[in-house]
Amino acid sequence: MYNNKVLEIFKNPKNVGTLKGANGIGKVGNAACGDIMKIYLKINEDGIIEDASFKTFGCVAAITTTSVATELIKGKTIEEALKVKNSQIIEILGGLPTQKIHCSILAEEAIKAAIEDYYKKQKKLEKTNKNSQV
Amino acid sequence: MERKVYLDNAATTYIATEVLNEMMPCFSVFYGNPNSIHSFGREAQGLVDRARDRIARAINSNSNEVYFTSGGTESDNWAIKGIAHAYSSKGKHIITSSIEHSAVLGACKALEREGYEITYLPVDKFGLVDLAELIHAIRKDTILISIMAVNNEVGTIQNIKAIGKIAKEYDVIFHTDAVQALSSLRLDVKDMEIDLMSISSHKVYGPKGVGALYIRNGIKIENLIDGGHQERNKRGGTLNVPAIVGFGKAVEMTVRDFALYNKKIKKLRDYFVREVKEKIPYIIINGHPHQKVNNIINISFELIEGEAILMLLDFEGIAVSTGSACTSGALEPSYVLRAMGVDDEVAQGSIRFSLGRSTSKDDIDYTIKKLAEAVGKLRKISPQTKSSVKGE
């Protein structure tokens, strides 16, 4: 069902765990469907993703696609990260079984959710900064 | 050499040497068509007769009540569709359970499209059908009750004898899918008042592609496969003599060695469960605490997902399954566990370990060690924690 590339990454997933100093955290999926993905981002003042990590509850494809997603966005700008498509993840993996394609879509959504969380936090930060200035 | 441990005996088994030895001459020496009149045919017919006798003896039926099929799925389809069509003038209502094998559920779904009405009985948290609910579901137009003897995912044994009694009392035909039961349960169609029973060869160390349907004499049934005069005009197609011979031997051996293997497997099962409980936290053993077969252990590992566990074990040469082989690839958590009221997330983390004749204590020790590692690794990856799980 899975090709060797997928299994290899599943065996040794990259960027597993929480991230110290993460300023963008995105969580997508639910347990009933079998996948929950959480991506942690550390974005610097220039809008570059300095570091990324993940935690995933799910099948082989879920864990593998989140690992690939975090690899893809490390060192990229927010704009570049937002452009990451699930098809890119599938291409890197050399294909996924049809019924597992949704995992790659979820991984793409997890990146977006983490960035969204970053923006929200920044806005809050700006607000509190403004308020404290007044 | 890489270590291999096969703990998926509920999916299929290897062919026992004694079985294979009896099969071999059927390929090249006794290759006649049992329906031919000449000596080659008669010879093959004799072998088929002997296999039929062996199976009849094992389930306490008459030989002419055993019909060979291509396996469990055909037997289930034939029983359900064949009875439905033969008795449609009496009614179009069938009662089954919500945890049947996909062969039974698939046949029922097909009948629903034809206008039949199916009642899917719920089960309790142990996977048992409630007998009062069964009685309550019986109507004037009920023509068939189809309840499996042993569930293939969790191993729960239904109260087959009681269900047989109820069916007889209410004058409803009773079919049981006993495919998973044959290896570890004594099946007596007379004592259990069973009208039709599906069994399969490859779950009891026989070859794949052959099974049987027991049809009690006096029960009308419409053919599923039309053709020649084989199987008393009820099932067309040249008989697969080597497979049938192997099936007969496999069933005979199963009954002969019943006590021996069941005792051995029960001991290993108890050891396995004890070890898992001791070495791995946050687990739930699914199924009935004692009314279950010895060879199936279904465990939910909380906070993680089953397929990932399966694959990590596979890397270590250990073969297990999530739910059943027939539902793998599905995204939904096991419908059997769902019907038993198991929480979705917990159901996602379930693994079935099914032991067999060749399973050793060493196999179990190796599996437990690798299992603890796999579960630990995946729990480190998982965002779920004990406190994030509902109700904790």
Side-chain angles (χ1 to χ4, degrees), chain B residues 118-229:
Chain B
I118 318 283
T119 298
Y120 300 92
L121 292 175
V123 293
D124 66 12
K125 62 176 177 173
F126 302 126
L128 277 178
V129 168
D130 185 275
L131 298 180
E133 277 186 76
L134 168 65
I135 293 170
H136 191 71
I138 298 172
R139 315 189 309 212
K140 255 202 183 112
D141 61 342
T142 305
I143 48 172
L144 176 68
I145 294 169
S146 179
I147 307 275
M148 71 200 322
V150 168
N151 180 268
N152 48 310
E153 285 188 36
V154 294
T156 300
I157 305 169
Q158 298 296 337
N159 299 305
I160 289 302
K161 195 172 168 176
I163 295 170
K165 202 165 236 34
I166 291 166
K168 194 167 186 193
E169 209 176 296
Y170 287 85
D171 195 26
V172 180
I173 294 168
F174 174 39
H175 163 251
T176 187
D177 171 352
V179 169
Q180 204 58 250
L182 188 59
S183 65
S184 39
L185 213 62
R186 289 196 188 276
L187 297 166
D188 183 324
V189 293
K190 288 202 177 79
D191 180 53
M192 295 171 155
E193 300 183 80
I194 295 166
D195 295 311
L196 300 103
M197 181 167 80
S198 306
I199 52 174
S200 175
S201 154
H202 75 110
K203 308 282 191 195
V204 291
Y205 306 85
K208 292 164 187 59
V210 65
L213 180 63
Y214 154 79
I215 309 172
R216 187 170 64 76
N217 284 336
I219 298 285
K220 280 188 298 176
I221 191 159
E222 190 177 274
N223 290 359
L224 185 71
I225 297 177
D226 291 309
H229 299 301

Side-chain angles (χ1 to χ4, degrees), chain A residues 1-2 7-8 10-13 16-17 27 31-34 36-38 40 54-61 63 99-100 102, chain B residues 302-309 311-312 315 328-333 338 344-345 348-349 377-384 388:
Chain A
M1 179 170 141
Y2 292 115
L7 293 180
E8 213 166 276
F10 172 66
K11 224 183 229 177
N12 298 301
V16 172
K27 188 177 169 188
C33 299
I36 299 171
M37 295 176 180
K38 213 167 167 182
Y40 301 81
F54 80 94
K55 286 204 128 189
T56 290
F57 164 94
C59 62
V60 173
I63 290 170
Q99 73 271 28
K100 298 292 185 184
H102 78 278
Chain B
E302 292 187 77
L303 317 176
I304 52 178
E305 197 267 349
E307 188 204 80
I309 305 172
M311 202 53 83
L312 287 182
F315 291 155
S328 63
L331 301 173
E332 299 270 293
R338 268 189 160 175
D344 277 348
E345 183 177 323
Q348 292 280 8
K377 181 176 178 181
L378 292 171
R379 281 185 180 159
K380 264 193 201 131
I381 299 176
S382 175
Q384 302 301 86
S388 74

